[in-house]
Amino acid sequence: MTYITEWIASLILFLLLAAIVELLLPATNLKRYAELAMSLILMLLLLQPVFDLINEPLEDKLPVIPAETEQLNEEIEAKKKEIQAGHDAYISEQMAVQLGQDVNDTLQAEFGLEVRDVDARRFESEGKLNVVLGASERDGPEEGITSVSIAVNEAHEGEQTEVDRQKEEVRMLLAEAWEMSEADLELVWEEEPS
Amino acid sequence: MKLLVMLAALLLLLGADVQEQSPEDYQNEQLERLGMEEVEEFWEEISQSYGPFLPESEKDDVSEWVSEHGGTELSDWISAGVQFFFHELSANIQLLGTLILLAVFSTLLRALQNAFEQETVSRVAYSVVFIVLFILVANSFYVAMDYARDAVGNMVHFMIALLPMMLALLATTGAVTSAALFHPLIIFFVNTSGLLIESVVLPLLFLSALLSIVSFLNERFQLTKLAALLRNTAMGLLGLFLTVFLGVISVQGATAAVSDGIAVRTAKYIAGNFVPIVGRIFTDAADTVLGASMLVKNTVGAAGLLILFLICAFPAIKLLALAAVYYLSAAVLQPLGGGPMLDCLSLLGRTVLFMFAALSVVGLMFFLALTMIIASGNMALMMR
């Protein structure tokens, strides 16, 4: 575009000069020839781009369209991740509330537990559900509360298997209540079942 | 929006049952989290430069304005536009006065021509007057072109700022195909159209106008044909680009949206049937999210459309006012007798109108692209 601008600018300059020269020239017979010469020069000026085109290849002069797509791609990706994370958090939260409603009463009565959190991020693709369980904050069964503080490493062999058995029971209970296969439930324990 | 947030807070305080969170609540949450800084920036710029003319400009928040959409009536907008037009007209009245003065001067010189023995003397004087006019007009003309260029550049920047958000929202509402398809296409067109108009069409129009004016200066050497060629090239480029843009955008938008709708529906079907209870709850929650995202997308899109319109409208009105001044002075000067001065003025008016056309075409294209993005997402959701 700068090329065209320069070319047009030279044309305009020539026209202005020609106007002045025409005023300066005395009206004699020779004026006609002077004007003819100027016309020829003007024509050469007009043909300038054609000559340039013949002499030099065009490729160097074509403007390049700037490609900003790379940076934009990243921006879109970042925004998308942000939105997606918000969606996942919202879905998990809603599911934790609704799923917990179904089973919390039984869980609390039998094990003193409740559903703390549900992670549904892998649900759509693999059908798996991460469930975080913790001790119920409501008043549990009378004998349950005190024994929660048992640390695992201090526990004896027998208690260990007892805990495992309870875990299995919770898993079965959840799977039955939610009509899922047990393998698809991944339980995370904030506190061991008592 | 504020009202809704307050309502939600009130519900929480009262300990009401909040587990069934409505899409609107989540929408507000998402809007706040997304942050519309990029959009707000342009909004502030607009309200700074054209504040007094905007109806209800005391609202300093775009989303607030958009969510209370019924608040601003069409008549307010029209009166704002008319007000701005007359403001610009009065700002340009000085130019009109100078033009009239010059024209009267040159006509007087013509009348005095008989007093001189030689014709050349008056011709020299006439040329001098014409060159003064030329410089004056070229200056105001260049300013007009700058307005148009700035407006186009602003629109492109705005689109580039808004597009990532819109396309990301489009992708998360399930319209993956549309987003993937729109993305390279729209970005290419937005970039190219800005470049084309800014650095090819508008300069070509400017150069063509200059050539025509200079050609009025003497009868012997004229380049009016070259000027016509340049002008026709500019307008042809504009028309061609608009046609291609409209065709591609409309066809792609429709087909992509349909395939998206089918994809979303099958996903919902699978999740809802194979895992009965959890699947149902999951689908419900996902549905709420989709609906809320769509609402957010529509809100952001509406705000974007409004700002795009404002970015385009005010410079366009400015150009219209300038064209009106040129045409008005041509009309006023006619009684003094015809001649090159008159032709020159009406030609300038016409060229400014061409610039106005170029500006509005860009505005129209971006407007359509945004509408297409908004609508195609809604279409995909409707196909489920």
Side-chain angles (χ1 to χ4, degrees):
Chain A
M1 205 54 217
T2 42
Y3 177 77
I4 297 179
T5 317
E6 278 166 18
W7 173 53
I8 301 279
S10 71
L11 281 180
I12 290 174
L13 197 69
F14 182 81
L15 280 189
L16 288 176
L17 282 178
I20 294 170
V21 167
E22 210 201 353
L23 291 173
L24 289 177
L25 281 177
T28 56
N29 271 344
L30 278 177
K31 191 182 178 187
R32 276 185 301 168
Y33 301 107
E35 279 181 352
L36 178 68
M38 283 201 292
S39 306
L40 287 174
I41 295 173
L42 182 60
M43 210 178 76
L44 278 180
L45 270 178
L46 276 170
L47 284 174
Q48 186 69 39
V50 181
F51 294 142
D52 281 355
L53 204 63
I54 293 169
N55 288 338
E56 290 171 52
L58 189 67
E59 284 82 35
D60 316 334
K61 288 187 178 149
L62 285 180
V64 187
I65 295 168
E68 290 176 62
T69 34
E70 201 52 45
Q71 190 207 340
L72 219 62
N73 263 340
E74 282 165 19
E75 247 173 80
I76 292 176
E77 257 334 288
K79 280 270 184 215
K80 206 157 80 184
K81 270 197 195 125
E82 202 180 307
I83 296 170
Q84 208 94 57
H87 285 180
D88 286 341
Y90 178 78
I91 290 176
S92 298
E93 193 187 312
Q94 286 297 97
M95 283 182 83
V97 172
Q98 298 226 346
L99 289 175
Q101 229 174 15
D102 290 349
V103 293
N104 266 355
D105 284 342
T106 346
L107 265 185
Q108 199 219 357
E110 288 183 24
F111 307 100
L113 293 168
E114 69 172 359
V115 175
R116 281 274 169 82
D117 207 356
V118 172
D119 185 356
R121 259 176 295 180
R122 287 167 62 204
F123 182 71
E124 199 173 13
S125 51
E126 299 165 50
K128 294 199 168 163
L129 207 59
N130 272 28
V131 181
V132 179
L133 293 161
S136 172
E137 279 158 12
R138 288 182 287 181
D139 291 330
E142 290 76 27
E143 79 278 14
I145 294 296
T146 44
S147 49
V148 160
S149 56
I150 296 174
V152 178
N153 52 355
E154 287 173 15
H156 297 299
E157 267 312 275
E159 278 175 348
Q160 189 69 46
T161 50
E162 173 73 9
V163 166
D164 279 349
R165 198 182 53 75
Q166 285 229 341
K167 280 184 180 177
E168 264 325 293
E169 268 178 37
V170 170
R171 183 185 292 272
M172 270 170 68
L173 179 88
L174 291 180
E176 199 183 330
W178 295 340
E179 292 182 32
M180 286 179 74
S181 76
E182 288 177 35
D184 285 340
L185 278 177
E186 284 174 20
L187 303 184
V188 179
W189 305 91
E190 276 188 356
E191 279 135 303
E192 297 289 326
S194 50
Chain B
M1 201 179 95
K2 257 182 191 158
L3 200 76
L4 273 172
V5 173
M6 273 166 64
L7 211 71
L10 204 69
L11 278 176
L12 274 171
L13 278 178
L14 289 174
D17 199 6
V18 285
Q19 54 161 325
E20 284 292 328
Q21 212 180 354
S22 64
E24 281 79 20
D25 294 334
Y26 183 58
Q27 179 201 354
N28 294 330
E29 214 180 292
Q30 207 182 353
L31 253 183
E32 267 163 39
R33 192 147 34 80
L34 256 180
M36 308 228 296
E37 300 99 13
E38 295 102 333
V39 181
E40 298 279 356
E41 225 170 82
F42 282 90
W43 172 251
E44 269 165 31
E45 214 177 286
I46 289 174
S47 46
Q48 256 173 24
S49 9
Y50 309 116
F53 302 100
L54 289 175
E56 301 175 53
S57 58
E58 68 270 18
K59 280 178 190 155
D60 48 7
D61 195 349
V62 202
S63 37
E64 192 183 336
W65 197 347
V66 170
S67 54
E68 294 169 22
H69 208 54
T72 313
E73 300 210 349
L74 187 64
S75 55
D76 286 348
W77 284 110
I78 293 175
S79 71
V82 172
Q83 221 180 332
F84 187 68
F85 179 77
F86 281 110
H87 172 260
E88 281 303 311
L89 210 57
S90 60
N92 282 322
I93 218 78
Q94 198 190 0
L95 177 71
L96 177 72
T98 325
L99 286 179
I100 292 177
L101 215 69
L102 274 174
V104 172
F105 196 45
S106 81
T107 328
L108 272 180
L109 275 174
R110 281 222 158 158
L112 286 175
Q113 188 175 316
N114 297 334
F116 295 107
E117 281 294 301
Q118 283 185 328
E119 200 190 324
T120 8
V121 178
S122 79
R123 276 191 62 201
V124 169
Y126 189 73
S127 297
V128 168
V129 171
F130 205 93
I131 285 174
V132 171
L133 174 92
F134 173 71
I135 291 168
L136 203 80
V137 152
N139 206 15
S140 85
F141 203 65
Y142 191 75
V143 170
M145 192 185 72
D146 252 14
Y147 278 149
R149 273 171 111 159
D150 273 359
V152 172
N154 263 344
M155 277 197 281
V156 171
H157 289 160
F158 178 67
M159 284 300 273
I160 297 284
L162 187 67
L163 275 179
M165 198 192 290
M166 287 300 288
L167 288 173
L169 278 169
L170 188 64
T172 47
T173 46
V176 187
T177 320
S178 303
L181 232 162
F182 268 128
H183 163 214
L185 209 71
I186 286 197
I187 287 171
F188 171 76
F189 272 116
V190 165
N191 265 337
T192 335
S193 64
L195 200 75
L196 185 81
I197 307 290
E198 232 181 320
S199 57
V200 179
V201 172
L202 288 177
L204 274 185
L205 283 175
F206 180 67
L207 291 176
S208 125
L210 282 191
L211 271 181
S212 317
I213 298 173
V214 175
S215 297
F216 283 123
L217 199 54
N218 55 15
E219 289 106 42
R220 183 68 180 79
F221 304 106
Q222 292 211 324
L223 288 177
T224 43
K225 297 291 174 202
L226 183 63
L229 173 69
L230 289 184
R231 196 173 54 234
N232 289 342
T233 314
M235 293 326 274
L237 269 178
L238 200 64
L240 190 74
F241 196 76
L242 181 66
T243 317
V244 171
F245 184 82
L246 288 187
V248 171
I249 289 280
S250 55
V251 170
Q252 297 282 37
T255 48
V258 170
S259 61
D260 275 338
I262 292 163
V264 172
R265 189 170 49 189
T266 40
K268 188 183 176 188
Y269 176 79
I270 290 170
N273 273 287
F274 287 129
V275 198
I277 293 179
V278 187
R280 182 181 52 76
I281 294 173
F282 178 80
T283 321
D284 283 353
D287 252 12
T288 315
V289 164
L290 275 190
S293 271
M294 201 186 70
L295 289 178
V296 170
K297 178 170 63 74
N298 291 352
T299 313
V300 173
L305 284 182
L306 181 73
I307 293 177
L308 194 68
F309 174 74
L310 289 180
I311 291 178
C312 179
F314 282 105
I317 291 176
K318 246 178 197 176
L319 288 184
L320 264 188
L322 199 64
V325 165
Y326 285 138
Y327 275 125
L328 192 68
S329 31
V332 168
L333 294 182
Q334 185 136 51
L336 294 176
M341 195 85 97
L342 267 187
D343 294 338
C344 174
L345 282 177
S346 52
L347 179 122
L348 281 174
R350 212 170 59 224
T351 316
V352 173
L353 277 188
F354 280 140
M355 284 181 179
F356 168 76
L359 180 60
S360 356
V361 160
V362 181
L364 181 74
M365 282 196 302
F366 289 177
F367 207 81
L368 283 178
L370 262 188
T371 329
M372 211 66 208
I373 294 179
I374 299 172
S376 83
N378 296 354
M379 214 151 100
L381 217 61
M382 235 179 276
M383 294 283 291
R384 291 184 307 157

